[in-house]
Amino acid sequence: MQELKMEELEKAIWHAFIFLADKQSGLTQKSKLKVLTNNLGNELGFLKSEEKLDKCSSTELNFEEYLKLLKSEVFTDSHLSFTPKAESIKEICWILCKNKVWEFPDQPKLKSSDAFTLWKLFNFLSERDENGQYMLPLSVDRAEIEHLFDRFGHVTGQRPDQKSMEGALNKESERFLFPKLLSLFQNQYLNRLVDDEISMGLNEIYDELIKDVMKKGMMSKRGTRVATWKERFFVLKPACLLYYTGPDQKEMKGSIDINQSCAVVPTQEKTCRFMIRTKIKDYELNVSDMKSKNEWITVLQKAIDNDDKDIHYHRDELIIRCQNRWAQKQRLAEEREQQKIRQELIEMKSRELEEEKQARAEAEARLQLETALREADKDHMKELEQLLEEERQAKRDEELVRAAQARVLQEEFEKREELERLKAMQEQLLAEEQSKREGIEDERNKQAQLLAAAKLQLEELQRERSAADEQLQSAKEKIKQVETERSKMEQKLKFTVNPIGLARLVQPKCPTFITHRGYGAFPLYDLQKNHKNKCLNNSTENQEDLTDNDGGRSSN
């Protein structure tokens, strides 16, 4: 209990310190703190307490340094018995900082005493860490504010306006400073309750939370000397049960010490009665209904069980609620972290799927490109095969032309031989004619006719030879054109560096002519071609000579 009272004093002193401190640095000049320290010392009967500040070398102090100095120099062991002065110290701090808490001076205000009570409730309900220690700056969690307003509404019968309450709470953060709490309380109740009702409600909650009143209410008590029942207002605290003449608690009629030697026993005769047995005497009490009876028996038994423990029930409940909130925040933080990890995994999987999709699209694009290149290569191969086929066809046509030319030459050669034979026969006949001029004139004319017919045949053979020469020249031009197309196609095929599949160009092969000195400078094909050309030229010259000789003979 002593720890709780010291804690509440530290919170009150913090408010006064913050009022004097610089807003940016959070430090307070030592000269300002001397007035506050002097007032605190005077209340505790410690004169000239402000002189203790001179022990500090710095001119400015933070709250932790100032509180440490107060505990070591002012709140010493000889001055710890200041419980009656605790309220005076809180009131000094409240007077110093109360003008700061009203952010809207033009609005209606609570009475100073009611605002002071609400301020003390704020300090008591201020948020704590997971270890149960109060946190600076002092603030109250939203759940505690809702609990406070619900309890106030239960006491006064005026529930808070949930719509405006939720709107105000949603606009703020999770925690409230005292000016915000005061403004919210004034907006909720100043126009709905009179001052006395507000004071009664706040004092009721103050008694319950800070004075640690476990339960209070009206019960009937049976007298010990005179067996009569009288209505009394009972107030249960952790160590005693007080009873008054009325709810105003102005006249106390007595008290019952609550310890482990006591016992709470429900009576069997009457359903709404129970008895408190102590070492001195027994107390018989009566309530209005069974619900109230069970509540009183439960809370009395709780006070008896915890008699040997120096605890403050509402403070312990507040610490448990704060620890539960911290545990919930920790769970939410862990859940958010897990959600973040899951989200990162999902994003990573999405990126991997996107990369895989992109890689698949690139692979499909490459496959389409390769397919297009393959199709283009197939088209090029088809064109090349077509050109090769045209070249082979041209070569076959050339072979046919050469064969026809050779046949014509052979026939010409045979005709020449026939002409030679006829010429020989003619010469023989001429010789015989010279010897026998008579009777051979007809024979000579006949031979002349035969010679004319042979000339006609020779001319016909010459015309056929000219036609064969023209066909040969056409075949040569066609072969040259095919070779030109083939060279163009080879230039096109140079762009295709890497053939696809097993397709390869089919190159024409010409056997190389081999002599006794090694490979010849020309292939066998070229030598054969030159040989045929020579034979053709020789036959042409022989025919011309024969023609010249025949012409000479005719003139003779």
Side-chain angles (χ1 to χ4, degrees):
M1 297 293 290
Q2 187 68 28
E3 179 185 357
L4 173 63
K5 293 177 181 179
M6 188 63 197
E7 186 180 89
E8 295 304 310
L9 288 179
E10 291 176 5
K11 295 177 181 178
I13 295 171
W14 176 82
H15 283 283
F17 182 89
I18 292 300
F19 175 76
L20 299 174
D22 182 68
K23 293 183 179 180
Q24 295 182 353
S25 64
L27 302 177
T28 304
Q29 294 181 1
K30 192 162 54 176
S31 59
K32 293 181 179 180
L33 292 174
K34 286 186 176 182
V35 178
L36 176 61
T37 308
N38 180 57
N39 290 329
L40 297 177
N42 291 336
E43 286 295 331
L44 298 175
F46 191 83
L47 301 178
K48 298 183 179 180
S49 58
E50 71 278 4
E51 295 178 357
K52 300 296 183 180
L53 292 173
D54 296 333
K55 294 182 178 182
C56 297
S57 58
S58 59
T59 59
E60 293 181 336
L61 298 176
N62 58 29
F63 179 69
E64 288 75 12
E65 294 173 344
Y66 180 63
L67 185 61
K68 182 178 179 181
L69 184 140
L70 287 180
K71 287 182 177 181
S72 61
E73 301 294 339
V74 181
F75 300 156
T76 57
D77 294 337
S78 60
H79 297 87
L80 282 179
S81 58
F82 54 82
T83 302
K85 299 294 183 179
E87 289 299 315
S88 299
I89 294 176
K90 293 179 184 178
E91 190 170 358
I92 290 173
C93 298
W94 166 250
I95 292 172
L96 184 62
C97 65
K98 70 177 182 179
N99 293 328
K100 183 181 179 181
V101 300
W102 277 290
E103 292 187 350
F104 309 101
D106 296 334
Q107 293 183 356
K109 300 179 182 179
L110 284 175
K111 291 193 306 182
S112 179
S113 58
D114 294 337
F116 180 45
T117 305
L118 184 63
W119 180 71
K120 289 185 287 185
L121 290 171
F122 170 84
N123 292 339
F124 177 78
L125 296 174
S126 60
E127 189 66 8
R128 298 172 181 269
D129 58 17
E130 59 270 20
N131 297 322
Q133 302 297 322
Y134 69 90
M135 300 168 55
L136 296 178
L138 296 179
S139 61
V140 177
D141 191 83
R142 176 183 301 183
E144 296 299 330
I145 292 180
E146 293 176 351
H147 177 72
L148 175 63
F149 277 63
D150 288 340
R151 184 60 186 159
F152 185 82
H154 177 74
V155 172
T156 59
Q158 289 289 339
R159 297 289 180 179
D161 185 3
Q162 293 296 332
K163 186 175 181 180
S164 62
M165 186 79 172
E166 291 177 359
L169 292 177
N170 290 332
K171 292 179 181 179
E172 301 296 334
S173 61
E174 290 293 329
R175 296 175 185 173
F176 286 73
L177 299 177
F178 180 70
K180 295 295 182 182
L181 172 62
L182 179 61
S183 176
L184 181 61
F185 187 87
Q186 292 176 154
N187 292 334
Q188 285 289 329
Y189 293 110
L190 278 183
N191 296 327
R192 300 166 62 188
L193 297 173
V194 297
D195 293 343
D196 292 341
E197 292 174 338
I198 293 175
S199 299
M200 182 270 296
L202 290 175
N203 291 329
E204 184 83 11
I205 297 175
Y206 179 83
D207 291 342
E208 178 182 348
L209 297 181
I210 298 180
K211 291 184 178 181
D212 204 19
V213 174
M214 300 178 66
K215 186 173 178 60
K216 56 184 176 180
M218 296 296 296
M219 289 191 295
S220 299
K221 174 181 171 296
R222 186 174 184 177
T224 56
R225 296 180 182 179
V226 180
T228 58
W229 293 91
K230 295 183 179 180
E231 290 287 331
R232 295 288 184 258
F233 187 78
F234 285 82
V235 177
L236 176 62
K237 294 186 178 182
C240 63
L241 178 63
L242 307 176
Y243 53 95
Y244 301 86
T245 56
D248 55 3
Q249 303 180 30
K250 292 181 179 180
E251 182 182 356
M252 187 175 72
K253 299 299 292 183
S255 64
I256 304 172
D257 292 334
I258 303 297
N259 50 50
Q260 292 187 354
S261 64
C262 300
V264 182
V265 181
T267 59
Q268 300 297 330
E269 295 82 5
K270 300 294 183 178
T271 57
C272 294
R273 294 182 185 178
F274 63 93
M275 185 177 295
I276 301 175
R277 291 180 177 176
T278 66
K279 289 182 179 181
I280 301 174
K281 63 178 181 178
D282 297 339
Y283 297 89
E284 189 175 359
L285 303 173
N286 183 58
V287 294
S288 59
D289 51 38
M290 284 296 298
K291 180 181 178 183
S292 299
K293 173 185 175 181
N294 293 331
E295 290 177 352
W296 275 106
I297 291 175
T298 301
V299 74
L300 283 168
Q301 191 61 48
K302 183 178 180 181
I304 292 171
D305 295 339
N306 296 282
D307 172 57
D308 58 341
K309 301 176 183 178
D310 185 17
I311 61 175
H312 190 285
Y313 290 103
H314 290 92
R315 176 176 178 267
D316 293 344
E317 291 176 357
L318 174 63
I319 292 174
I320 292 173
R321 291 197 299 271
C322 291
Q323 290 175 344
N324 291 337
R325 282 195 293 270
W326 278 105
Q328 184 178 4
K329 289 178 181 179
Q330 184 68 23
R331 288 194 300 270
L332 292 176
E334 292 175 356
E335 291 176 359
R336 285 194 294 269
E337 186 66 24
Q338 293 177 359
Q339 182 68 23
K340 182 180 178 181
I341 293 173
R342 288 195 294 268
Q343 187 66 26
E344 290 177 353
L345 290 175
I346 292 173
E347 291 177 356
M348 184 176 68
K349 291 293 184 183
S350 300
R351 288 194 298 270
E352 291 178 356
L353 290 175
E354 189 65 26
E355 292 175 357
E356 183 179 355
K357 187 184 295 184
Q358 186 176 0
R360 186 178 300 173
E362 292 177 356
E364 291 178 355
R366 287 196 299 269
L367 180 60
Q368 292 178 357
L369 180 60
E370 291 177 357
T371 304
L373 292 174
R374 194 177 291 112
E375 292 296 329
D377 291 339
K378 287 182 181 179
D379 295 338
H380 293 162
M381 291 300 297
K382 288 181 181 179
E383 292 179 2
L384 183 59
E385 289 176 357
Q386 184 177 0
L387 291 175
L388 291 175
E389 183 64 27
E390 291 178 357
E391 184 179 2
R392 287 195 290 269
Q393 184 64 34
K395 287 186 177 181
R396 288 195 293 269
D397 294 341
E398 183 182 4
E399 292 296 331
L400 292 175
V401 171
R402 287 181 181 274
Q405 187 178 13
R407 187 175 64 253
V408 171
L409 291 174
Q410 183 63 28
E411 291 177 356
E412 184 180 0
F413 181 72
E414 290 176 355
K415 291 296 182 180
R416 283 182 178 276
E417 289 181 349
E418 182 68 23
L419 287 175
E420 290 293 333
R421 187 178 63 79
L422 291 174
K423 182 179 179 181
M425 291 176 63
Q426 186 178 13
E427 288 177 353
Q428 184 179 1
L429 289 174
L430 286 174
E432 291 177 357
E433 185 181 2
Q434 287 179 358
S435 60
K436 296 178 181 181
R437 293 183 179 270
E438 299 85 359
I440 61 173
E441 187 66 21
D442 296 333
E443 185 68 18
R444 188 176 64 179
N445 293 333
K446 185 178 178 180
Q447 294 294 328
Q449 291 177 357
L450 292 172
L451 181 60
K455 287 182 178 180
L456 292 173
Q457 290 180 355
L458 182 60
E459 290 175 359
E460 183 65 21
L461 290 174
Q462 286 179 350
R463 285 193 298 272
E464 290 178 358
R465 177 183 175 185
S466 298
D469 290 336
E470 290 176 358
Q471 292 179 358
L472 179 62
Q473 187 65 28
S474 176
K476 287 181 179 180
E477 290 177 358
K478 192 172 184 180
I479 290 171
K480 184 176 179 181
Q481 183 178 1
V482 170
E483 289 178 352
T484 303
E485 292 294 328
R486 183 183 64 183
S487 63
K488 291 179 178 180
M489 182 55 60
E490 288 175 352
Q491 290 294 328
K492 291 180 179 181
L493 289 178
K494 285 182 181 180
F495 292 100
T496 308
V497 179
N498 295 321
I500 299 174
L502 300 176
R504 296 292 186 275
L505 297 178
V506 179
Q507 301 291 341
K509 294 182 179 181
C510 295
T512 306
F513 182 72
I514 302 174
T515 65
H516 65 284
R517 299 193 179 194
Y519 290 99
F522 302 95
L524 181 61
Y525 172 78
D526 292 338
L527 293 176
Q528 292 177 352
K529 180 178 179 181
N530 292 333
H531 177 70
K532 288 183 180 181
N533 290 333
K534 286 181 181 181
C535 292
L536 184 61
N537 293 331
N538 291 333
S539 63
T540 304
E541 290 176 359
N542 292 333
Q543 187 176 3
E544 290 177 354
D545 292 340
L546 181 61
T547 303
D548 293 337
N549 291 332
D550 291 340
R553 289 181 180 178
S554 299
S555 62
N556 289 331

